[in-house]
Amino acid sequence: MYEFDWSSIPGSLPLLAKGMGVSLEITFTAIVVGIVWGTLLAMMRLSSVKPLAWFAAGYVNVFRAIPLVMVLLWFFLIVPNLLESLFGIPRGSDMRLGSAIAGFALFESAYYSEIIRAGIQSVPKGQMAAAKALGMSYGQAMRLVVLPQAFRNMVPLLLTQAIILFQDTSLVYVSALADFFGTAAKIGDRDGRLVEMLLFAGAVYFVLCFAVSQLVRYYQKKLKTA
Amino acid sequence: MITMNKVSKHYGSFQVLADCTTHVNKGEVVVVCGPSGSGKSTLIKCVNGLEPFQSGEITVNGVSVGDPQTNLSKLRAHVGMVFQNFELFPHMSIAQNLTIAQIKVLGRDKAEAEVKGMQLLDRVGLRAQALKYPGQLSGGQQQRVAIARALAMDPICMLFDEPTSALDPEMINEVLDVMTELAQEGMTMMCVTHEMGFAKRVAHRVVFMDHGRIVEDDHKDAFFANPSSERAQQFLAKILQH
Ligand SMILES: Nc1ncnc2c1ncn2[C@@H]1O[C@H](COP(=O)(O)OP(=O)(O)OP(=O)(O)O)[C@@H](O)[C@H]1O
Ligand SMILES: [Mg+2]
């Protein structure tokens, strides 16, 4: 019978917290970039300028057809080389966090853009017409009238995608980056307590993700009654 | 004020508007009616360029709508439009609905826009609702706010696209009353509506459309007394029964 021994956890909390910091940093940066770039992609896709629409559609389809791990690995392998040849940044510097963030952000943008596109299309056409009829430019009508309503409808989906993104950050283990999951695994290995460490890490992921998904449900209920 | 000369529009091979020619003089009220799908909404949306058209010419206050050089936003800022489904902005309070375009489009400062907005709310009898959101108002109230919102831009003319057809019967009159008052003050108006009582009381001319064509364009008395086309006769007979 396996004897559980949790004693190595309290001492490792500072390191684990640091790992959590890395996971959250990747998550938040990817969310922010993903929403901004995703919004632009969505607007391109809905634009009547065909090349823009094609570009956005191609971007989304490519990223949605490739496994995330591969994108991360490519970024891990390619971005440092690229930066070196473009900006002369020496190879030695640690680019793992930067390239992981870039990989996530560009990958997630494809998913966010689809959510945002659906959100924009969920706003009745008459709203754009009414905004234009008041003399607003297309940009003003989008910014002041259509997007605020689109985002209000999209918050649950965006948050749900954020949960998925947060869980997916554990994939950065391919670049040996010390995120929460990676740190937990490393400490577990070191102390010979891998099972306990991974159970603990799983519990932390569960609590955080469950809390956010409850928030989503609460918000959805509020949306429905509003 | 508004002139249309041989305006045509098609979606693919489907002709929505065919050689439509008419005009609205300053201070005139013109009612546009006709069966469903005859192109009334399309016609009125061409006036402020919300719908593009392929041939013909429309001018508003001397400015050509179809000319690619024309700044359509600038033109629309002074052409009020009221929609069948109100189209108030649901994420903004009534007060914000009334001020947003004044501030962002006309560049008025906030205080000035608010004063103007409140004056117009007062005028449509809804001053007390300023802090509510559109979803909290009845259809009739929302449509009156929509009219006030258009008026806040100091329009040189107003376009109405079936402003009462989404309303419960008991709310129709409160909206028609506001429109009647506007007309009596000399506002230039082009109204798509099936409210023939309103047309009889307020309109100067009636335009009747069928299959994308303007079939009748007549002084209202002539139109109601003896419409020249059979189609209009049938239409009137049907609608006046109600
Ligand atoms: N985007 C579009 N593509 C193709 N056909 C269209 C489009 N918009 C409108 N139509 C067609 O054009 C015709 C005229 O439409 P319009 O909305 O102007 O009619 P209407 O007279 O306002 O009718 P209603 O009384 O139902 O409002 C209709 O037959 C409609 O199906
Ligand atoms: Mg219509």
Side-chain angles (χ1 to χ4, degrees), chain B residues 37 39-42 45 84 161-162 192:
Chain B
K40 307 176 298 289
S41 298
T42 310
K45 283 181 183 150
Q84 183 169 359
D161 187 6
E162 304 208 34
V192 175

Side-chain angles (χ1 to χ4, degrees), chain B residues 30-47:
Chain B
V30 172
V31 160
V32 180
C33 59
S36 179
S38 56
K40 307 176 298 289
S41 298
T42 310
L43 184 79
I44 204 164
K45 283 181 183 150
C46 284
V47 173

Side-chain angles (χ1 to χ4, degrees), chain B residues 177-191:
Chain B
D177 287 347
V178 172
M179 290 169 62
T180 305
E181 219 181 279
L182 256 184
Q184 281 162 353
E185 285 166 20
M187 177 61 80
T188 308
M189 293 163 56
M190 187 166 176
C191 312

Side-chain angles (χ1 to χ4, degrees), chain B residues 86 138-140 163-175 195:
Chain B
F86 329 133
S138 73
T164 57
S165 56
L167 296 177
D168 292 337
E170 71 269 20
M171 292 175 189
I172 291 178
N173 278 330
E174 62 188 66
V175 171
E195 294 296 329

